[in-house]
């Protein structure tokens, strides 16, 4: 599904978090929103999900204006930085949640739910851990549950907010590779927010660099390194003068 | 070498400076124990002793008085109405305060605590000023034979007012600490408002909610001042347990007064026990949540 | 769930409105009459059943006389009021027009079915030798009394002291000085008559308790040998009044029963009950029967010596009145 952001703006009180952001996203793209803390990238992601509403501008899903649709109408899978797992529910129930709250008419049967959850747990390599509670899992495992949970509803777009930030380097690397592989397989339109340049460059098709609520540059990792648009980009990416390519 | 020795001496000195000396600790503990003994344990012991002084049959006969029976019934009835009302109000206001931002939010948060600051007598007086014959609404109501004051509705209103903050105050800090991330996740997964409330929020807050409800109930059953103002003291009609205890005491029926008082004391002890359990479970749940 | 509780609420309101099986009336009274009406009310029910074949139940509410009057003004649905002083019933007329201005004349003895007086209770042996009002102001005598500002019964105490001093000294200034001296001997003013009794009896404070004779006789019946009653040679005739609350009985259509209830209080049966509960009956035959319980004393009334309750309230018990001038809280 394609997503288009047109002239999005949002302020919290007097702080302008997002200023006139426009961004077209093709179906099947894997985009990284890259920028320092407070740059507005998470706010943009939450507006796409329907967790915040913009003060101005529009959001389109496949050409349809969804700007003021609530989160539960948008079917955008969201993975939170803090995982936001339901701590009182088992891993199985966490993943099944989105299916269980479907309106009765569209709700799958019990067996269908069991099958689907089993499938998803396989995909995220957590098969057999269905009965565990989130408190009994490691950070990396919890994040994978969050992923499986978001995928369970068959979302049209997958949004990840600093998904791997709280994990140690080795786990992070593994999950990154997993995400890339998953995307190659499914071609699900995916956006993720990060402040980690290496992560963005390694995983994403396209990198969108944001600072102070304004898009600084948008392009493939190679393009951005070859032609940094302004001083901020140079500084942020720590590009040495004369560096021409990204050997990734 | 000398430097290392000097450092070690400094470290030792520092440790002693921050810990209380054993004497101070013992004094503090003694003071607290004395306080507890005098103000909590002794009155309880006195109540039970006075109630049973004349034997078990005298104790039980206190509860055969129809006015006393009605007072117990009325107290329970008022609690059964006021506590669920306040649970709903408390949940709604805690939800509004922790999940939304709206103009006047700090004012609402302070207003919720209002019944705790003002004397309960004022809490009762409010309703006299509203529903009394010369009150804002009273004249009209009385002319149409609708009895609010000096009848059950007035007692329920006064009790609801003074017990209002307990559920909200049990929930607000808990919900603020827990944050809305889980609710947001549920929203993105397609859950409606009611589903989020039932499947995500309630399990999270259930021990805090129980804590607030227990306190609310204890206060509702024991409230004296506000109810005394609006009750009318009609025997067998508008006397709750606390009012009935006062009546019995004023009529020199000391054993009976203490006998009814033991009921309230038993309720207090039960409340203390349940509250302890609920508090402990809520803390455990919060700790588990924050570990994830 | 919300709807169900709303329904319950409405149901309860409706229940409050209509309870038609037996006629019931509400008697709003003061503290000292608790035991009295507990016996009178069933007697009246029997009487009414015999007379008309209908059932009636009398609900009771008790509290401080002024507080009860206040409650009736605020909407407490009294069919009859039986209060400690006529001034409290006057207030019903003045504040809310609940009774007509000439209410006192509607029943015998100016609407007073039983009386009492003010006397003293001392500890066994009368160690301080209290015999008359003068003895109360002697140095070293601690007097226990309720607060005239909050207790209807206590106003009678104050007026008894004032009235006696007025006669003995011959002037209002002399009376004022006496009453001031009296209150200087009062260590603490309880808010109600029963509170003062508790202070004297249970807490063991004070040398003499000044209260209604009815209350003192009641205490003696409970605690016999520990205390003695001392009747001063002259005292006030305490006249608690009764009245039908017109506005209420007209609305509730209960006038017939309410009127009959108050008239019942004057019948020999009720007069006997009153005497048994230590109130002086107005019926001379019944009074004669209990002559040893109710010794003869030189009485004066509020109307004779003070010119009526309206004047008394204005001069003595209004804000800034004589009592306020006399009594400054000691602590």
């Amino acid at each position: 599904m394609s997503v288009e952001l047109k002239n999005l703006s949002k302020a919290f009180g007097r702080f302008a978090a997002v200023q006139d952001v426009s961004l077209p996203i093709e179906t099947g793209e894997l985009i990284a929103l890259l920028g320092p803390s407070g740059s507005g990238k998470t706010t943009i992601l939450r507006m796409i999900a329907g967790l915040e509403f913009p003060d101005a501008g529009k959001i389109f899903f496949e050409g349809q204006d969804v700007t003021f649709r609530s989160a539960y109408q948008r079917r955008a899978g969201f993975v939170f930085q803090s995982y936001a797992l339901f701590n009182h529910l088992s891993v199985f129930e966490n993943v099944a949640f989105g299916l269980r709250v479907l309106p009765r008419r569209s709700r799958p049967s019990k067996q269908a739910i069991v099958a689907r959850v089993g499938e998803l747990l396989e995909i995220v390599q957590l098969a057999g851990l269905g009965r565990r509670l989130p408190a009994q899992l490691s950070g990396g495992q919890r994040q994978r549950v969050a992923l499986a949970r978001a995928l369970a509803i068959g979302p049209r777009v997958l949004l990840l907010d600093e998904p791997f930030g709280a994990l140690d380097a080795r786990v992070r690397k593994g999950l990154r590779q997993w995400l890339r592989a998953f995307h190659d397989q499914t071609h699900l339109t995916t956006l993720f927010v990060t402040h980690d340049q290496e992560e963005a460059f390694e995983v994403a098709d396209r990198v969108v660099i944001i600072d102070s609520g304004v898009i600084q540059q948008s392009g493939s990792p190679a393009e951005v390194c070859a032609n940094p648009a302004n001083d901020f980009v140079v500084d942020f990416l720590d590009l040495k003068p004369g560096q021409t390519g990204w050997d990734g | 070498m000398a430097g290392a020795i000097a450092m070690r001496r400094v470290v030792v000195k520092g440790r002693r400076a921050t810990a209380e000396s054993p004497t101070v600790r013992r004094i503090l503990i003694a003071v607290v124990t004395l306080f507890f003994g005098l103000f909590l344990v002794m009155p309880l012991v006195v109540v039970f002793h006075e109630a049973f002084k004349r034997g078990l049959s005298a104790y039980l006969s206190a509860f055969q008085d129809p006015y006393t029976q009605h007072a117990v019934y009325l107290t329970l009835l008022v609690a059964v109405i006021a506590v669920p009302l306040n649970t709903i109000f408390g949940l709604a206001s805690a939800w509004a305060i922790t999940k939304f931002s709206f103009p006047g939010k700090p004012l609402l948060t302070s207003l919720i605590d209002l019944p705790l600051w003002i004397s309960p007598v004022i809490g009762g007086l409010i309703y006299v000023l509203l529903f009394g014959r010369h009150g804002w609404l009273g004249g009209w109501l009385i002319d149409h034979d609708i009895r609010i004051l000096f009848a059950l509705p007035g007692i329920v209103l006064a009790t609801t007012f003074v017990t209002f903050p307990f559920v909200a105050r049990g929930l607000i800090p808990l919900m603020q600490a827990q944050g809305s991330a889980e609710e947001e996740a549920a929203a993105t997964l397609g859950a409606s408002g009611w589903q989020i409330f039932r499947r995500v929020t309630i399990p999270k807050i259930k021990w805090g909610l129980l804590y607030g409800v227990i306190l609310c109930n204890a206060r509702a059953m024991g409230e004296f001042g506000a109810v005394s103002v609006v009750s009318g003291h009609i025997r067998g009609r508008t006397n709750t347990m606390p009012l009935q205890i006062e009546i019995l005491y004023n009529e020199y029926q000391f054993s009976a007064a203490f006998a009814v008082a033991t009921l309230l004391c038993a309720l207090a002890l039960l409340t203390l026990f349940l509250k302890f359990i609920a508090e402990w479970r809520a803390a455990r749940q919060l700790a588990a949540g924050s570990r994830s | 769930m919300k709807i169900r509780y709303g329904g319950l609420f409405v149901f309860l309101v409706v229940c409050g409105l209509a309870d038609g099986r037996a006629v019931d009336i509400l008697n709003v009274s003061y503290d000292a009459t608790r035991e009295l009406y507990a016996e009178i009310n069933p007697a009246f029910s029997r009487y009414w059943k015999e007379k008309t074949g209908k059932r009636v139940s009398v609900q009771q509410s008790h509290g401080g006389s002024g507080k009860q009057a206040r409650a009736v003004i605020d909407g407490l649905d009294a069919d009859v009021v039986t209060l400690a002083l006529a001034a409290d019933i006057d207030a019903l007329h003045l504040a809310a027009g609940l009774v007509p201005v000439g209410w006192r004349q509607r029943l015998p003895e100016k609407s007073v079915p039983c009386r009492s007086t003010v006397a003293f209770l001392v500890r066994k042996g009368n160690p301080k030798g209290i015999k008359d009002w003068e003895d109360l102001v002697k140095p070293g005598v601690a007097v226990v009394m309720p607060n005239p500002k909050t207790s209807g019964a206590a106003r009678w105490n104050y007026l008894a002291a004032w009235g006696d001093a007025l006669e003995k000294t011959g002037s209002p200034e002399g009376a004022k000085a006496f009453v001031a001296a009296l209150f200087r001997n009062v260590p603490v003013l309880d808010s109600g008559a029963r509170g003062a009794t508790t202070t004297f009896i249970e807490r063991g404070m004070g040398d003499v308790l000044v209260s209604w004779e009815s209350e003192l006789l009641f205490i003696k019946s409970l605690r016999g040998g520990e205390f003695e009653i001392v009747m001063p040679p002259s005292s006030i005739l305490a006249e608690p009044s009764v009245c039908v609350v017109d506005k209420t009985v007209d609305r509730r259509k209960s006038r017939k029963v309410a009127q009959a209830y108050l008239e019942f209080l004057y019948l020999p049966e009720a007069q006997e009950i009153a005497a048994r509960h230590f109130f002086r009956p107005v019926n001379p035959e019944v009074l004669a029967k209990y002559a040893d319980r109710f010794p003869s004393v030189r009485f004066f009334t509020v109307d004779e010596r003070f010119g009526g309750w309206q004047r008394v309230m204005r001069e003595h018990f209004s804000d800034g009145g004589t009592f306020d001038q006399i009594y400054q809280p000691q602590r």
Side-chain angles (χ1 to χ4, degrees):
Chain A
M1 178 190 74
S2 69
V3 176
E4 179 157 9
L5 311 178
K6 265 204 167 132
N7 304 107
L8 283 187
S9 294
K10 177 134 186 101
F12 294 107
R14 264 182 295 174
F15 171 61
V18 177
Q19 302 183 54
D20 199 34
V21 160
S22 295
L23 183 66
I25 300 167
E26 301 293 319
T27 310
E29 275 200 279
L30 175 53
I31 305 243
L33 293 177
L34 176 66
S37 320
S39 51
K41 47 195 201 298
T42 298
T43 310
I44 294 174
L45 203 74
R46 287 168 63 88
M47 284 198 279
I48 299 176
L51 296 172
E52 308 271 6
F53 294 110
D55 296 332
K58 291 200 183 298
I59 303 174
F60 297 92
F61 282 11
E62 202 68 42
Q64 270 193 332
D65 184 347
V66 298
T67 318
F68 293 107
R69 290 240 194 107
S70 59
Y72 89 106
Q73 288 170 323
R74 293 197 200 189
R75 273 178 67 209
F78 201 101
V79 178
F80 290 78
Q81 183 171 14
S82 59
Y83 323 135
L85 294 183
F86 305 129
N87 289 306
H88 60 288
L89 295 178
S90 66
V91 164
F92 180 94
E93 287 299 333
N94 264 278
V95 177
F97 188 88
L99 299 170
R100 292 216 192 277
V101 296
L102 284 172
R104 201 155 291 205
R105 298 165 284 126
S106 18
R107 201 182 302 168
S109 69
K110 276 217 176 91
Q111 301 94 312
I113 293 183
V114 169
R116 177 96 182 107
V117 172
E119 238 176 70
L120 287 160
L121 289 179
E122 285 270 355
I123 294 179
V124 298
Q125 294 158 7
L126 286 178
L129 295 180
R131 294 250 178 126
R132 298 256 188 105
L133 288 174
Q136 297 165 311
L137 301 175
S138 72
Q141 288 171 321
R142 289 183 206 166
Q143 194 53 293
R144 283 182 273 158
V145 174
L147 272 165
R149 184 178 69 174
L151 294 173
I153 57 169
R156 307 184 282 169
V157 59
L158 184 63
L159 306 168
L160 304 108
D161 184 6
E162 310 238 21
F164 312 131
L167 305 169
D168 67 57
R170 196 171 45 101
V171 177
R172 230 190 317 200
K173 227 174 154 55
L175 279 170
R176 255 190 252 160
Q177 286 166 353
W178 178 91
L179 184 63
R180 182 74 237 182
F182 177 78
H183 180 262
D184 288 338
Q185 242 189 341
T186 60
H187 301 290
L188 179 61
T189 315
T190 306
L191 264 99
F192 73 99
V193 156
T194 181
H195 60 269
D196 182 343
Q197 173 204 340
E198 188 188 313
E199 182 168 287
F201 276 38
E202 192 181 295
V203 180
D205 297 331
R206 183 150 63 106
V207 171
V208 177
I209 301 178
I210 304 181
D211 179 49
S212 306
V214 177
I215 293 184
Q216 305 295 321
Q217 187 167 10
S218 161
S220 75
E223 277 167 26
V224 167
C225 285
N227 304 305
N230 55 33
D231 284 337
F232 173 80
V233 178
V234 172
D235 247 338
F236 186 73
L237 298 182
D238 210 18
L239 293 173
K240 297 175 188 51
Q243 182 172 349
T244 50
W246 164 248
D247 339 299
Chain B
M1 178 74 169
I5 294 173
M7 266 232 298
R8 215 178 316 138
R9 223 180 279 145
V10 167
V11 168
V12 169
K13 247 205 213 143
R15 213 181 297 149
R16 228 184 261 157
T18 52
E20 297 99 346
S21 70
T23 328
V24 173
R25 231 179 305 154
R26 270 186 233 129
I27 293 179
L28 274 176
I29 294 177
V31 168
V32 170
T33 315
L34 188 68
F35 202 81
F36 264 113
L38 271 181
F39 289 100
L40 288 180
V41 176
M42 221 171 69
L44 280 178
V45 169
V46 167
V47 169
F48 278 90
H49 176 257
E50 288 291 324
F52 286 99
K53 201 157 70 163
R54 302 221 297 231
L56 186 61
S57 60
Y59 176 82
L60 290 175
S61 68
F63 298 100
Q64 283 162 7
D65 172 30
Y67 287 156
T68 299
Q69 287 174 348
H70 184 271
V72 174
Y73 159 75
L74 184 64
T75 304
L76 293 173
L77 179 64
V78 169
V80 155
I81 301 176
V83 172
L85 273 179
N86 274 332
T87 304
I88 297 172
F89 292 156
L91 271 170
S93 38
W95 184 275
I97 286 176
T98 56
K99 307 285 184 209
F100 306 145
S101 57
F102 49 89
K105 183 154 95 158
L107 183 65
L108 179 65
T109 315
S110 314
L111 278 181
I112 285 181
D113 277 352
L114 184 72
L116 286 177
W117 313 325
I118 67 179
S119 164
V121 171
I122 309 280
L125 205 58
I126 292 174
Y127 293 101
V128 174
L129 291 174
L130 265 181
F131 298 115
R133 194 189 306 268
H134 299 285
W136 292 8
L137 305 173
W140 184 88
L141 286 169
I142 291 179
D143 290 334
H144 289 79
D145 234 0
I146 300 178
R147 291 253 138 275
I148 304 280
L149 211 53
F150 308 122
L152 177 70
I155 298 180
V156 169
L157 280 174
T159 307
T160 307
F161 175 80
V162 299
T163 56
F164 176 71
F166 291 103
V167 175
R169 293 182 95 225
L171 288 177
I172 290 178
L174 184 63
M175 289 169 80
Q176 277 174 335
Q178 288 172 335
S180 312
E182 287 181 41
E183 281 86 357
E184 287 184 339
T188 60
L189 293 169
S192 68
W194 173 251
Q195 283 172 320
I196 297 178
F197 182 71
R198 187 168 67 91
R199 289 169 177 266
V200 178
T201 313
I202 291 278
K204 273 204 295 182
I205 62 175
K206 72 178 170 209
W207 293 109
L209 183 62
L210 192 61
Y211 176 85
V213 167
I214 290 170
L215 288 185
C216 179
N217 180 62
R219 182 66 191 274
M221 290 195 169
E223 176 56 32
F224 178 78
V227 175
S228 182
V229 173
V230 302
S231 150
H233 300 271
I234 304 176
R235 311 202 155 200
R237 281 268 179 87
T238 60
N239 281 312
T240 56
M241 267 204 283
L243 266 51
Q244 181 67 5
I245 292 174
E246 186 199 26
I247 287 176
L248 290 168
Y249 186 78
N250 274 336
E251 295 182 347
Y252 300 105
Q253 297 189 53
F254 297 129
S255 280
F258 280 107
V260 184
T262 59
L263 273 190
L264 283 180
C265 285
L267 172 71
L269 290 171
L270 180 67
T271 301
L272 216 59
F273 176 69
L274 289 175
K275 166 179 154 350
F276 170 71
I277 305 250
E279 238 176 344
W280 174 63
R281 297 295 293 263
R284 243 188 29 177
Q285 196 176 28
L286 195 56
S290 62
R291 258 184 278 127
S292 327
Chain C
M1 197 175 61
K2 233 190 265 195
I3 300 174
R4 242 182 268 151
Y5 276 108
L8 176 65
F9 187 86
V10 171
F11 170 71
L12 289 165
V13 168
V14 170
C15 275
L17 294 181
D19 177 15
R21 288 170 306 128
V23 174
D24 77 276
I25 58 173
L26 175 60
N27 174 358
V28 171
S29 191
Y30 57 110
D31 275 328
T33 58
R34 296 167 196 253
E35 293 82 14
L36 172 67
Y37 286 111
E39 198 178 332
I40 285 199
N41 292 343
F44 175 70
S45 297
R46 279 194 302 273
Y47 164 83
W48 190 248
K49 186 101 202 285
E50 267 175 44
K51 187 156 174 226
T52 66
K54 299 219 195 91
R55 287 193 307 152
V56 64
S57 83
V58 184
Q59 308 293 318
Q60 283 297 131
S61 169
H62 293 275
S65 186
K67 182 172 165 215
Q68 294 289 76
R70 185 73 240 170
V72 174
I73 291 171
D74 280 328
L76 180 55
D77 236 358
D79 296 274
V80 304
V81 288
T82 58
L83 297 175
L85 47 154
D88 286 332
I89 305 184
D90 284 334
L92 297 186
H93 164 72
L94 292 168
L98 297 172
V99 302
V101 65
W103 63 271
R104 290 185 85 183
Q105 326 315 333
R106 302 198 294 186
L107 285 166
E109 306 290 336
K110 301 222 209 104
S111 293
V112 178
C114 57
R115 304 182 175 115
S116 192
T117 184
V118 176
F120 313 140
L121 191 73
V122 297
R123 306 201 185 270
K124 190 169 161 79
N126 198 351
K128 295 279 173 110
I130 311 283
K131 292 211 195 53
D132 198 349
W133 290 98
E134 292 85 63
D135 299 322
L136 297 179
V137 299
K138 284 200 310 227
V141 173
V143 180
V144 175
M145 281 202 298
N147 187 338
K149 274 238 139 158
T150 54
S151 162
R155 295 203 179 131
W156 292 103
N157 299 347
Y158 173 101
L159 293 174
W162 185 287
D164 184 80
L166 190 58
E167 186 187 43
K168 291 197 175 123
T169 64
S171 72
E173 291 72 31
K176 186 171 177 183
F178 174 77
V179 177
L182 173 62
F183 275 96
R184 275 198 293 275
N185 271 1
V186 176
V188 59
L189 281 181
D190 279 285
S191 62
R194 284 279 160 103
T197 304
T198 309
T199 300
F200 187 75
I201 310 286
E202 303 293 324
R203 285 162 59 187
M205 277 180 72
D207 302 303
V208 53
L209 172 68
V210 178
S211 191
W212 278 25
E213 176 193 45
S214 59
E215 182 79 358
L216 301 184
L217 285 168
F218 177 65
I219 295 171
K220 263 221 96 171
S221 74
L222 291 181
R223 300 287 284 257
E226 298 168 48
F227 304 101
E228 292 172 15
I229 298 184
V230 173
M231 301 289 296
S234 166
S235 189
I236 198 166
L237 189 64
E239 301 175 290
S241 313
V242 304
C243 187
V244 166
V245 181
D246 295 64
K247 252 209 182 148
T248 307
V249 297
D250 286 335
R251 186 165 36 83
R252 297 188 74 232
K253 316 262 191 297
S254 54
R255 185 181 280 273
K256 206 160 143 235
V257 183
Q259 184 70 19
Y261 179 71
L262 293 184
E263 286 168 3
F264 177 75
L265 298 177
Y266 292 88
L267 297 182
E269 185 186 353
Q271 293 280 299
E272 283 264 353
I273 296 176
R276 279 206 297 277
H277 285 276
F278 313 115
F279 285 93
R280 291 175 178 245
V282 297
N283 180 316
E285 282 110 38
V286 182
L287 182 59
K289 256 171 84 174
Y290 289 85
D292 37 331
R293 174 172 295 180
F294 300 119
S296 208
V297 161
R298 237 169 1 100
F299 289 125
F300 53 89
T301 65
V302 165
D303 289 333
E304 291 163 11
R305 199 159 290 188
F306 293 92
W309 272 105
Q310 293 302 313
R311 267 188 78 183
V312 165
M313 293 305 285
R314 232 185 4 254
E315 282 174 14
H316 293 275
F317 298 118
S318 58
D319 282 326
T322 320
F323 176 67
D324 278 337
Q325 295 165 24
I326 287 176
Y327 182 75
Q328 304 297 325
Q330 279 174 359
R331 265 164 274 280

